[in-house]
């Protein structure tokens, strides 16, 4: 408890680094001598390292819980944790964090083992891509550009012209300083741009027990561009990046897949969600603008459903079972 209370950015021995592409709020926990305390929240930008505990590392276990900002969508960042400890909204310090009393609520914490570095003990928040610090910062910029509606290409943490062009379009559209990309407030400005976008666009939510692979179509100056694939895990939501900042209509196709990657069938039919608009796709990642003679060009053809966005802040398409078909919800 005293160790958590003494947490200070002035002289801390324990540092946490955010090696993900998300802006995260994190809480820490300490478990020692039969007592468990938690403290939060610490804001971490992608690629940022900051101290969270001062003084010598106490004995016992260190635990971490992290959540992504709401602008990324529900369950955008997943942290595997097996200990339920108490947290609250706003700044908090909870001395007895194993039994929650309102306004405290339980959250899943993961046990972490800090590594010894030249700067002292250091723990890291990571995602599957396993970004370096520099790559996490670039990927964080890419992800916020996508959320704001400016397509940066793949969120891979690599420098590239497509990301630079997307950032330049956002800077020009919002009349931001020319040095935004290099300035210390880049994430603050990108978060504000994503919030101002108001969730415009499409969100897929998977209400089945299967993984779902989804593809997107978008009208680009009179021609429909189809792109895929996005993987939507059971119980999760994914917001795909659109080509333009404010699309009026998108097209959606998705199919459930098993552990072997094969399309799931129910009652002899593929478990898929689409509509009458026929567009070309292929099994691997794709971006296609020509949808004539798909089969003759060695491509697959899928029926996409139109999702109208005009006059709405966004729409959510839920993938359900045959007994509970997919439906789109507006977010006015």
């Amino acid at each position: 408890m005293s160790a958590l209370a003494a947490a200070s950015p002035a002289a801390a021995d324990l540092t946490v680094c955010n090696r993900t592409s998300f802006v995260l709020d994190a809480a820490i926990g300490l478990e020692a001598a039969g007592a468990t305390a938690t403290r939060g929240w610490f804001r971490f930008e992608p690629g940022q390292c900051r101290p969270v505990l001062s003084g010598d590392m106490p004995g016992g276990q260190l635990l971490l819980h992290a959540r992504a900002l709401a602008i990324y969508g529900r369950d955008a960042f997943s942290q595997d944790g097996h200990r339920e400890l108490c947290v609250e909204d706003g700044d908090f310090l909870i001395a007895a964090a194993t039994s929650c009393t309102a306004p405290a609520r339980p959250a899943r914490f993961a046990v972490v083992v800090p590594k010894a570095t030249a700067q002292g003990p250091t723990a890291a928040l990571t995602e599957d891509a396993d970004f370096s610090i520099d790559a996490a910062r670039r990927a964080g910029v890419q992800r916020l550009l996508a959320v704001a509606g400016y397509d940066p290409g793949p969120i891979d943490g690599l420098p590239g012209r497509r990301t630079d062009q997307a950032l330049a379009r956002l800077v020009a559209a919002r009349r931001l300083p020319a040095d935004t990309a290099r300035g210390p407030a880049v994430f603050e400005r990108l978060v504000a741009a994503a919030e101002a976008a108001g969730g415009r666009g499409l969100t897929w939510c998977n209400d089945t027990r299967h993984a779902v692979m989804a593809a997107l179509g978008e009208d680009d100056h009179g021609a429909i561009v189809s792109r895929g694939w996005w993987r939507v895990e059971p119980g999760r939501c994914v917001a795909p990046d659109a080509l333009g900042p404010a699309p009026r209509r998108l097209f959606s196709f998705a199919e459930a897949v098993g552990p072997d990657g094969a399309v799931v069938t129910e009652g002899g039919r593929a478990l898929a969600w689409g509509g009458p608009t026929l567009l070309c796709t292929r099994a691997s990642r794709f971006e296609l603008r020509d949808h004539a003679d798909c089969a003759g060009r060695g491509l697959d053809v899928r029926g996409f459903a139109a999702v109208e966005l005009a006059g709405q802040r966004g729409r959510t398409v839920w993938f359900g079972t045959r007994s509970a078909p997919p439906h789109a919800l507006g977010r006015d």
Side-chain angles (χ1 to χ4, degrees), residues 170-325:
L170 182 146
V171 167
R174 293 187 58 82
R175 300 180 180 178
L176 297 176
D179 64 348
T180 290
R182 301 181 300 276
V186 59
F187 285 106
E188 179 182 340
R189 288 167 175 162
L190 288 175
V191 166
E195 290 174 338
R200 286 193 294 267
L202 173 68
T203 298
W204 289 307
C205 290
N206 183 358
D207 204 22
T208 79
R209 65 181 186 275
H210 309 287
V212 169
M213 301 301 293
L216 179 72
E218 183 177 359
D219 189 340
D220 184 28
H221 299 94
I224 297 179
V225 180
S226 63
R227 291 186 294 147
W229 298 89
W230 284 265
R231 185 180 180 92
V232 189
E233 298 291 349
R236 301 294 178 84
C237 296
V238 169
D241 52 298
L243 292 175
R248 298 178 61 83
R249 174 188 289 180
L250 297 175
F251 299 86
S252 172
F253 172 80
E255 55 192 13
V257 296
D260 59 354
V263 177
V264 173
T265 59
E266 288 188 358
R269 297 175 56 196
L271 185 56
W273 304 269
T277 302
L278 300 181
L279 301 176
C280 297
T281 67
R282 61 173 169 234
S284 57
R285 177 180 289 188
F286 66 91
E287 181 172 315
L288 302 168
R289 296 174 180 270
D290 182 359
H291 301 285
D293 191 20
C294 300
R297 293 158 52 210
L299 301 171
D300 302 316
V301 61
R302 296 287 187 270
F304 285 63
V307 182
E308 300 292 342
L309 298 172
Q312 299 195 55
R313 295 179 62 193
R315 294 182 73 87
T316 299
V317 173
W318 293 83
F319 305 128
T321 62
R322 293 295 182 198
S323 59

Side-chain angles (χ1 to χ4, degrees), residues 88-115:
E88 294 183 12
D89 292 328
D91 293 337
F92 69 88
L93 175 61
I94 302 175
T98 57
S99 180
C100 305
T101 302
R105 65 184 186 279
R108 290 191 175 274
F109 282 68
V111 176
V112 296
V113 179
K115 294 183 178 180

Side-chain angles (χ1 to χ4, degrees), residues 11-17 49-51 53 55 115-123:
D13 285 345
L14 175 65
T15 297
V16 172
C17 294
C49 295
R50 62 173 294 188
L53 282 180
K115 294 183 178 180
T117 70
Q119 289 74 39
T122 301

Side-chain angles (χ1 to χ4, degrees), residues 1-4 27-39 59-64 83-87 92-100 107 109-111:
M1 174 65 174
S2 60
L4 285 180
I28 59 173
L30 283 177
E31 186 176 61
T36 304
T38 57
R39 181 176 178 180
Q61 288 186 321
L62 173 70
L63 303 103
L64 277 176
R83 293 294 312 279
E84 282 199 347
L85 302 178
C86 304
V87 300
F92 69 88
L93 175 61
I94 302 175
T98 57
S99 180
C100 305
F109 282 68
V111 176

